[in-house]
Amino acid sequence: MQKNVLSLVLIFVCFYANSFASEVYTKEQIERMISRMVIIGFKGETANSNDQIYSDVKSGLGGVILFDKDPTDKSKVKNIKNKEQLKKLTAQLQSVSKQKLLISIDQEGGIVQRLKKEDGFIDTPKASNVAIMGENFARKTYKSLALDLKESGINNDFAPVVDLAINKQNKVIVTKGRSFGESSKEVIKYSSIFVDELRKQNVISVLKHFPGHGSSLSDSHLGFVDITKTWNEKELEPYRYFIKNNKVDMIMTAHVFNEKLDDKYPATLSHNVNTKLLRYKLGFDGVLVSDDLQMYAISKHYDLKQTVTLAINSGVNMLLFANQQSKPINLKQIVDTIYTQILSEEISLEEIIKSNKKIDSMMAKYK
């Protein structure tokens, strides 16, 4: 009896999707579309047929995020040992995928570098130092970084940071030198060079952290971050520039709360921020990826069902689970949760279809 009810619900869902996309979807097709929206972190220096990540990629996983060190034991390797090993790993991952897999990394320079000099990669200075050295230095620096990524088989860099260095006491961006400067003009100048050099090597860049993290007083890795009293609308200026000039394919949301933009939800889960502001007002039509949904600013306040439902309904197209901070989560848990929410109509299948189209469109540019 229960199976019959679920089948009827699924038929209704597929009929609803039919009015949007002139196509009926099976359970397996819907699950693959959901998988396409997920970027996940995993432990392992290889991806063999007996590994979970191998199975996940084969199931349609949209992307992976790679790290050098195991967060539970910094003396151990998580994914990256050296350049040759990394080349083999990324090649293995791509060979398993039926579609182009997004292989992601945080490679900004300075304190945020997963590819380390001691492991055979180039060393990139922090953004604040690059800005001091000037444009020619920046171009050479980011050309080298982009080549390192391409040669390693990485096609997606969660960079550059376009946050403005507004709050000099900001511990997550400003004091770590992750911002190019206080003025939007400086940030736009140097982040444009970064984006251009990545694009030349077919590496997708990601502007972060929307709608701005440079004025915050707290770190969203550790918990709730309220920017209501510190945020300034000028923090949107880099996004306006990149969107207007068609220079951005991917933007990352921030786990920051601003009651002037949304009095209930942080940006990652906010329809007001991700759709009304970013899509409608600023005109962004590309792929919106969440920051790591296991960061404590989210995971301490929302369970998995609430998180994925709010994120997708807010306009997020790709969900990032880095498996760095909390209890590891696997692809099946995520897919099953979202699929159940589609059946109960808490998430519209239309949003899943739209996200897949955006991802496909982006990936087609980077063959």
Side-chain angles (χ1 to χ4, degrees):
M1 179 68 181
Q2 191 176 11
K3 285 185 178 179
N4 290 336
V5 172
L6 284 173
S7 296
L8 286 171
V9 173
L10 180 56
I11 289 168
F12 173 80
V13 170
C14 292
F15 178 78
Y16 175 76
N18 190 37
S19 65
F20 175 75
S22 300
E23 191 173 347
V24 174
Y25 296 91
T26 65
K27 180 176 185 287
E28 183 182 0
Q29 287 173 322
I30 295 171
E31 287 176 337
R32 286 193 75 88
M33 285 194 290
I34 296 168
S35 297
R36 181 76 157 146
M37 296 171 61
V38 178
I39 300 172
I40 206 161
F42 66 98
K43 285 185 182 181
E45 298 170 45
T46 59
N48 299 311
S49 56
N50 58 337
D51 295 325
Q52 183 61 50
I53 193 62
Y54 182 101
S55 174
D56 288 346
V57 172
K58 207 165 185 179
S59 298
L61 179 67
V64 296
I65 181 168
L66 304 180
F67 293 90
D68 50 345
K69 302 300 181 186
D70 185 331
T72 59
D73 184 349
K74 299 289 186 182
S75 67
K76 294 181 180 178
V77 171
K78 184 172 183 180
N79 304 122
I80 303 164
K81 190 174 184 179
N82 54 54
K83 188 172 278 191
E84 288 306 310
Q85 170 270 326
L86 181 56
K87 282 182 185 178
K88 289 178 183 177
L89 172 59
T90 56
Q92 285 176 321
L93 291 167
Q94 286 291 3
S95 69
V96 178
S97 183
K98 293 179 181 178
Q99 63 218 359
K100 189 71 173 176
L101 183 70
L102 206 61
I103 300 183
S104 313
I105 200 163
D106 288 302
Q107 192 72 2
E108 301 171 14
I111 196 170
V112 183
Q113 296 189 78
R114 312 306 180 198
L115 307 182
K116 299 285 201 299
K117 185 178 180 180
E118 58 263 32
D119 297 325
F121 302 95
I122 63 142
D123 184 54
T124 304
K126 58 187 178 183
S128 58
N129 283 355
V130 171
I132 291 170
M133 297 300 290
E135 292 178 62
N136 289 337
F137 178 83
R139 199 163 284 108
K140 289 176 184 176
T141 296
Y142 295 128
K143 179 181 180 179
S144 297
L145 183 153
L147 284 168
D148 231 6
L149 295 179
K150 182 184 179 182
E151 289 169 3
S152 302
I154 292 167
N155 57 17
N156 183 218
D157 190 7
F158 287 139
V161 168
V162 295
D163 296 320
L164 307 186
I166 292 175
N167 174 15
K168 302 308 176 188
Q169 280 73 50
N170 175 286
K171 293 178 182 177
V172 67
I173 305 292
V174 182
T175 60
K176 292 183 177 179
R178 296 173 66 193
S179 171
F180 289 109
E182 186 175 354
S183 78
S184 58
K185 184 178 178 182
E186 285 293 285
V187 169
I188 288 167
K189 178 166 65 175
Y190 290 104
S191 56
S192 290
I193 293 170
F194 202 152
V195 168
D196 289 344
E197 293 304 323
L198 289 176
R199 185 171 283 187
K200 287 175 187 176
Q201 303 305 327
N202 261 350
V203 178
I204 300 168
S205 57
V206 182
L207 305 185
K208 61 185 188 185
H209 307 79
F210 187 81
H213 211 320
S215 62
S216 69
L217 296 169
S218 307
D219 183 347
S220 54
H221 290 84
L222 306 176
F224 185 77
V225 176
D226 190 339
I227 59 170
T228 303
K229 294 179 180 178
T230 56
W231 186 80
N232 191 302
E233 193 166 345
K234 69 181 180 180
E235 294 181 61
L236 298 176
E237 289 173 7
Y239 297 98
R240 282 199 180 94
Y241 169 83
F242 279 95
I243 292 167
K244 183 181 178 182
N245 291 278
N246 196 28
K247 290 185 67 173
V248 54
D249 293 301
M250 208 167 183
I251 289 174
M252 177 180 280
T253 62
H255 303 324
V256 292
F257 175 80
N258 185 342
E259 68 177 22
K260 293 174 184 175
L261 300 177
D262 190 318
D263 62 6
K264 190 172 183 181
Y265 299 114
T268 317
L269 311 179
S270 169
H271 187 270
N272 286 347
V273 173
N274 295 333
T275 295
K276 290 183 179 178
L277 176 58
L278 183 58
R279 301 286 190 196
Y280 297 163
K281 189 172 180 180
L282 299 184
F284 180 60
D285 193 41
V287 173
L288 182 62
V289 61
S290 73
D291 205 342
D292 181 11
L293 292 170
Q294 292 168 303
M295 286 162 61
Y296 293 144
I298 299 296
S299 62
K300 281 188 175 181
H301 302 278
Y302 304 91
D303 62 24
L304 179 62
K305 183 167 71 172
Q306 292 170 320
T307 297
V308 297
T309 303
L310 287 167
I312 292 170
N313 288 341
S314 79
V316 170
N317 308 119
M318 299 197 82
L319 308 165
L320 175 60
F321 293 88
N323 282 327
Q324 283 285 98
Q325 280 194 272
S326 54
K327 184 180 178 182
I329 190 167
N330 61 54
L331 180 63
K332 188 177 186 304
Q333 286 175 270
I334 300 164
V335 172
D336 287 350
T337 301
I338 295 172
Y339 185 75
T340 300
Q341 291 299 85
I342 292 171
L343 291 181
S344 65
E345 298 180 68
E346 294 298 320
I347 295 175
S348 166
L349 183 57
E350 180 178 335
E351 293 300 323
I352 307 299
I353 297 166
K354 285 193 319 192
S355 288
N356 272 255
K357 287 184 175 180
K358 287 184 183 296
I359 296 164
D360 289 342
S361 177
M362 177 183 73
M363 297 304 284
K365 298 178 188 178
Y366 291 85
K367 292 180 180 178

